[in-house]
């Protein structure tokens, strides 16, 4: 098991708004990143909406986050053209 995921599983509420994710995860992921992932269809499964507010279920969010976590640092993007 992943200790980060285990800690979050114990601390996150059963459901939470996208805007709360940065604070709930210690700034591991931003609300903007989640919005982009959701718009591409690659965000956490089961997102639902209360009005305009995106809401996630804890277990679906943690499954998505665990799949994203890695020990390797991402390679920089070559922006020279």
């Amino acid at each position: 098991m992943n200790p980060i995921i285990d800690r979050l599983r114990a601390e996150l509420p059963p459901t939470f708004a996208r805007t709360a994710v940065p604070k709930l995860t210690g700034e591991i992921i931003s609300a903007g990143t989640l919005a982009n992932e959701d718009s591409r269809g690659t965000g956490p499964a089961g997102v639902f909406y209360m009005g305009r507010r995106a809401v996630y279920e804890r277990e679906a969010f943690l499954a998505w986050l665990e799949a994203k976590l890695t020990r390797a640092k991402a390679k920089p993007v070559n922006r020279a053209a």
Side-chain angles (χ1 to χ4, degrees):
M1 303 286 313
N2 185 311
I4 295 169
I5 299 301
D6 292 341
R7 180 183 59 85
L8 288 171
R9 183 170 281 115
E11 295 176 6
L12 291 177
T15 58
F16 46 90
R18 179 191 293 149
T19 55
V21 169
K23 182 177 179 182
L24 291 171
T25 62
E27 305 295 326
I28 290 173
I29 189 159
S30 73
T33 295
L34 278 169
N36 290 337
E37 293 274 350
D38 287 339
S39 71
R40 288 191 294 261
T42 58
V47 62
F48 61 96
Y49 294 86
M50 293 293 296
R52 296 180 63 174
R53 188 173 295 244
V55 180
Y56 301 102
E57 294 178 332
R58 176 180 50 222
E59 292 306 317
F61 175 80
L62 291 175
W64 173 84
L65 182 61
E66 188 167 28
K68 294 282 192 183
L69 293 176
T70 179
R71 290 264 183 213
K73 185 175 179 180
K75 293 181 181 180
V77 175
N78 184 359
R79 299 196 191 273

